[in-house]
Amino acid sequence: MKNICVRFVLFLFTSVALAQSTHVSILNNDKGIKLVVNGKDFMINGMNWDYFPIGTNYSYSLWQQSDAFIKEALDAEMSLLKNMGVNAIRVYSGIQPKWVQYIYENYGIYTMLNHSFGRYGVGINGDWVPVTDYSDTAAQDQLLSEVTLMAEDYKNTPGLLLYLLGNENNYGLFWAGAETEDFPDNEHEKQFVGENRGRPMYKLMNTAAVKMKSINSSVPVAICNGDVLFIDIIADECKDVDIFGVNMYRGISFGDAFQVVKDKLNKPILFTEFGADAFNTIQNKEDQQSQAYYNLGNWKEIYQNASGLGKTGNAIGGFTFQFSDGWWKFGQTKNLDIHDNHASWSNGAYQFDYKEGENNMNEEWFGICAKGPTNDKGFYESYPRAAYYALKEAHKINPFSEGITLEYIDKAFKNININKAVSKALKNKKTLQTKQSDCVKKGK
């Protein structure tokens, strides 16, 4: 009986140790830079994921619902993500550690935990300051306090992959709101803002990274920048940040981004946001084919720039933006039950619906899944678009597998049939339209 008890105690100890053994490191050698998770090469096939039922906005939090509600929502969403080969999600702080562990242990999906780091304001002495001044000592103390607490709370959480600081906070230095706007063209103005408002921010991000890694050295820290703006300042001020995370919307190709990051920073590049919307402003209708086209082009470049394949070798993966449509993104506090098709910013890199002088980027249509109506219990269903099925095929490719070459990756992506993906998705669209029609008849 004594031996049985001893074995049982050893089993429990081993199980706990294994549950807490997730170790993430960065390997930098002559072949390139890559992420290593528990001793295995790891390409991040990530997704920007959130849960906002139609009719809600940023003030809604899944994590404030009952455990039963959260579990049911996660089971539905994570099943779809696992099915398409997603191995990591980007989630903002607010998720409790137990759900990070739940997602990992039940679906094998890791979490990159994102602290906005003053992007949308900061609370100081009980007051909300909507525009963060990173040179202000009170703001600095508050932000460092928040990320310190986060690192302590999530230490040894199974499934925690990375910490991410900010969300294109360099863009937030120019405008105050969360809603995306066109960017100023004046180079002198950009550099002035970078030196006066950006440099203190990046310096503080580096201080935060040092502090967080002193608490938990097994989880790397990334920052989230808007494209490569202010990269020279980042090179000066963020030497202790592990990963250069970037939100980048350059159309079908990231261009010179891989080489610029390699030359300027010699850090791994992680695409924290990228992709395309599923609405064509010229045709004024949904365009699933072009969304899949842009996403596939982006992922092909990420894989081809992975370590060991002969190109820059510094790409460690990305998080497609985003899993389901955000019906609140345009206007943010009004028309929350309307799927708005107003484009809020302009980007000539997305040529299928670009007209000079007109906006073409539709913030409410970036989901690779369409969002179904909210039911009586507060849940919704996600309906995969063509990009979902195309990326499911893409994520079957592992650039670290033996024998993988640039030519192999190129051929594998050429073999992904977008038309077939569109055909699959159209069946989902018809089902969704039927459900929406039923809701209208019922007066919901």
Side-chain angles (χ1 to χ4, degrees), residues 43 71 228 258 302 327 345:
M43 171 59 65
K71 183 178 180 298
V228 295
F258 302 95
I302 291 171
W327 281 46
W345 53 293

Side-chain angles (χ1 to χ4, degrees), residues 44 49 65 74 119 130 134 149 169 218 325 335 348 359 362 399:
I44 298 175
W49 177 83
Q65 312 307 310
L74 289 178
R119 170 63 177 89
Y134 293 94
L149 182 61
N169 290 29
S218 66
D325 290 332
N335 297 328
N359 291 340
N362 298 85

Side-chain angles (χ1 to χ4, degrees), residues 117-129:
F117 208 71
R119 170 63 177 89
Y120 310 107
V122 60
I124 302 176
N125 298 323
D127 295 322
W128 184 253
V129 181

Side-chain angles (χ1 to χ4, degrees), residues 290-354:
S290 69
Q291 184 189 39
Y293 167 80
Y294 286 117
N295 273 290
L296 284 175
N298 290 163
W299 274 106
K300 177 182 173 181
E301 286 195 343
I302 291 171
Y303 288 167
Q304 288 184 325
N305 283 277
S307 176
L309 293 177
K311 297 191 81 172
T312 58
N314 59 347
I316 62 170
F319 292 82
T320 303
F321 188 81
Q322 61 181 347
F323 191 55
S324 62
D325 290 332
W327 281 46
W328 59 274
K329 290 291 184 72
F330 187 87
Q332 306 215 359
T333 58
K334 57 185 180 181
N335 297 328
L336 301 181
D337 58 350
I338 295 175
H339 203 184
D340 207 304
N341 57 18
H342 286 86
S344 56
W345 53 293
S346 175
N347 192 330
Y350 296 84
Q351 297 182 357
F352 292 132
D353 66 347
Y354 175 71

